[in-house]
Amino acid sequence: MLTVDGISVPEGGTLLDATRRAGREVPALCHLDGTRDGGHCRLCVVEVDGRHAAACTTPARAGQVVRTRTPALVAYRRDVAALTLAESSPRGEAGALLRALAGDHPYGTYAGGRPSDATHPVLRIDLDACILCRRCERACAEIQGQFVYTVEGRGVEARIGWGGGSFDQTDCVACGACVQACPTGAIHDVDGPRGSDAVRTTCTFCGVGCQLAVHAGPDGVSRVDGWPTASVNRGHLCVKGRYAHAYATHPDRLTTPLVRRDGQLVPATWEEALAIVAAGLRKGPAAGLSSSRCTNEENYLFQKLFRAVLGTNDVDCCARVCHAPTAAGMRVAFGTGAATNRFADVDLADLFLLVGSNATEAHPIVGARVRQAVLRGARLVVVDPRRTELAAIADVHLQVRPGANVPLFNALASVIVEEGLVDRAFVRARCEGFEELEPFLRTQAPERCEEVTGVPAALVREAARLYASASSPMMLHGLGVTEHHQGSEAVTLLCNLALLVGAVGRPGVGVNPLRGQNNVQGAADMGCQPDALPGYQPVADDAARARVGAVWGAPVPEARGRTLPELLDAAVRGELRALYVMGEDLVQTDPNEAHVRRALTSLDLLVVQELFLSETAKLAHVVLPGASALEKDGTFTNGERRIQRVRRVLDPLAGRTDADVIVAVMEALGHRGQTSRADEVMDEIAKVAPSFAGVTYAALEDDGLQWPVPYAGHPGTPILHVDTFVRGRGKLSVVPYVPSPGLGDGLRLTTGRALAHYNAGTMTRRAPTVEIHPRDELEIHPHDAVPLRISDGEIVIVESAHGEARAVARVTERVRPGAVFLTFHFPETGTNRVTGDVRDRVTGCPEYKLTDVRVRPVG
Ligand SMILES: Nc1nc2c(c(=O)[nH]1)N[C@H]1C(S)=C(S)[C@@H](COP(=O)(O)OP(=O)(O)OC[C@H]3O[C@@H](n4cnc5c(=O)[nH]c(N)nc54)[C@H](O)[C@@H]3O)O[C@H]1N2
Ligand SMILES: Nc1nc2c(c(=O)[nH]1)N[C@H]1C(S)=C(S)[C@@H](COP(=O)(O)OP(=O)(O)OC[C@H]3O[C@@H](n4cnc5c(=O)[nH]c(N)nc54)[C@H](O)[C@@H]3O)O[C@H]1N2
Ligand code: SF4
Ligand code: SF4
Ligand SMILES: [Mo]
């Protein structure tokens, strides 16, 4: 114990912590939670055992006698504050605090004259307000990892700089951490002020599930900060979570139902629209595609509508085109398909194997945390055809040719076996299949597949040794693994690697898919899949159907339903007549746009429930307005299985949430008595899905819970497969390489994401993010660009057997020779006019990551 102004508090941490524990907090302007203290502002100086010391940099030790408010300290702080005000004009909280401490201005007032910058789409800098607390510098370096700021000049000349030039030319990724950190308004943004009552809710974009502090006024959201104490993001956000909120009140939002009359979509009443929807669905055969953007409760209601009211298991969601291969591939090895560990385990790992994942752009908060771990000394192996930001700082980058994962993963395993790096005790105690795998791997040496993978064998060996010799090797994977002809099998091979080195079932390791959408985990958990009921209870399981049917008071259909691609094929053949799509832009995001259009225009009834008139909604017979995540209560489940609350900040623009709309459709079909209230729906989910049995809104209140939550009061399950695998023993599998039928002799097109945009871009194209990233770009290596006479910045045509896309060429060494990379965030690009029909052999997930193309200049 030590005493602070006579109050006893426990030791530990810094004296700043101790003053807080004692309720005798001292002013501290340069301190920033989560970063190293610098002792720059000198305001937090206290008296310790008779001497003055900065509280933020002095450890709190037993026996210390600390005083925070002696007359000498008060005078010292007054001097510091007055000197600061003589050299700057801080605004905001810091300005008020400094003026209060300084009293009248004994050292004069600051005249201004330092630089400002307004070149960036969202950030603004005004150094006259800067007090050199350097919180921005530490936030950018130690939270984001971008190192944009440095202190330039010395003494009174010292000021925050960004390497000369205008700010829009820096490496800034617009995460806004510096804005959130700046106490003076010197670094601010174009958003409005912080209100007094921010609402905590979950980000609506990616599967990281960051917790937001949303400030709203009469005109909508005024600003968004990171929720400081949330375990997922600890106050940090990316550009989308922080700055892409204007879509919510954009004039393009749909506010009334639309129905097609004489070929035109025209406004209609809810009664008219619902009557058409009910008639078409009842006539059938009908199917539903649910939205990974919507809440668990809405997804649950959506599949219930199809199963309990319409009597079909024909319901699927975008997990099909994303991480369905992860679920299938991991189920083979472990018995269940979800991430094994927590995001927080990134801080515990000493090596990352990052495979087919562009984490700093697609899961920026996890990506930033991986980068921080690497800066602290963790090792990093990246497998990606592109030199992504993380590949650029990796110990080993295996720049695989698109489509060659399977031979490469086998080669990594072969090295582990051949060089005696197997964790034999783990394999003996917990796995099966090693006897079959070992002889197969002897034929898979890296030297034998160099040609196919394009990766030098020596690098493969080095990567395998690093992975096998780390004490906590954590694997993270993305769509570069799943969206392939052998996507599911490749995931099973990643599990092989983890099993061989015993990296499952403890903190800091595991096989961790970076799930895509804010609630794709949840959409699948809720049973928006043709073969699984809520909680992954197989449709084929009689007992499960009986149990669920008893809660619903309606039988659960027995026949397995059809997957998303099977449904589109069925529509073309006339075997599907009605399709209800909630929050998914099939035309822009499903492969082979011509085929998708053919399927959708073959239907008698296409219902699209949307925020905007998406490319798919433009084809609908009925468009029903949905409500954004800011307009409803509910839950999303992030990529680490964490069920987190979504809280209403704005009123639903069209008067109803998506849950209300689904229930209205149920009622129009004659099914009465269904609640659309989110908490009550969750209570029903808890009855239906055993892994959710203990979930209540009260239990989710703070940081949510990671499922399984098998009974009330259960604390949730941070790590899976601790003592035994869900399937019993971990299964090591033999998977021979089967080259994709999509391979040709052209360039290998792989498609994916850019930081500032989100999937179809309906939302991020209606926010300042569009100024940060105004168009899709095709990355092409100079080796390929030069002979094709393609220069940087020029418009090019990307052509495949299926169609053409147009984009701006980026001639760059970021992508490997022979491969090109294109994003799909703008409809005018037509990325998915080019992608084709090859699918994952197990799940039907499209091969978005490999298309044989030619590229030529437009002219
Ligand atoms: N900014 C942003 N974030 C997003 C999204 C978004 O649209 N924008 N979408 C969300 C969604 S739905 C998802 S599913 C996730 C996706 O997140 P990621 O999976 O990280 O995203 P992608 O960019 O599709 O692909 C990842 C990487 O796979 C690599 N790759 C391509 N082909 C191969 C291959 O054959 N082998 C290997 N090893 N790698 C290959 C690509 O070069 C790319 O760097 O992101 C989510 N987060
Ligand atoms: N070429 C290529 N294509 C791809 C991929 C790729 O890597 N390459 N990736 C694939 C992957 S992984 C995925 S997940 C898919 C994503 O494909 P989509 O799911 O089609 O993409 P999103 O942009 O997320 O579209 C969701 C739609 O939901 C709407 N929406 C958002 N929130 C709500 C809501 O609360 N309620 C309602 N009713 N609507 C809402 C949005 O306006 C948007 O139009 O794209 C796939 N397509
Ligand atoms: S917005 Fe983020 S990346 Fe940009 S300067 Fe600030 S902290 Fe650094
Ligand atoms: S990392 Fe994902 S969840 Fe977090 S703010 Fe960005 S988009 Fe939202
Ligand atoms: Mo996705």
Side-chain angles (χ1 to χ4, degrees), residues 322-362:
C322 182
H323 271 287
T326 290
M330 288 179 72
R331 207 175 300 131
V332 170
F334 302 156
T336 184
T340 59
N341 288 61
R342 297 166 296 188
F343 294 147
D345 282 20
V346 167
D347 296 342
L348 309 175
D350 65 346
L351 174 133
F352 301 94
L353 178 55
L354 184 77
V355 193
S357 154
N358 181 10
T360 57
E361 297 201 58

Side-chain angles (χ1 to χ4, degrees), residues 179-265:
V179 174
Q180 190 164 329
C182 177
T184 67
I187 298 173
H188 61 107
D189 58 29
V190 295
D191 276 349
R194 295 187 170 91
S196 51
D197 45 356
V199 176
R200 176 175 179 166
T201 189
T202 306
C203 178
T204 184
F205 295 107
C206 88
V208 175
C210 292
Q211 297 296 292
L212 314 177
V214 181
H215 303 261
D219 302 328
V221 172
S222 59
R223 75 172 301 118
V224 176
D225 281 320
W227 193 267
T229 57
S231 79
V232 168
N233 56 311
R234 304 172 193 162
H236 194 201
L237 293 176
C238 82
V239 59
K240 297 177 296 302
R242 194 183 293 273
Y243 295 116
H245 52 75
Y247 73 86
T249 44
H250 194 279
D252 290 349
R253 277 286 304 275
L254 298 166
T255 53
T256 64
L258 306 174
V259 300
R260 191 166 294 279
R261 283 211 187 96
D262 305 325
Q264 300 292 317
L265 282 170

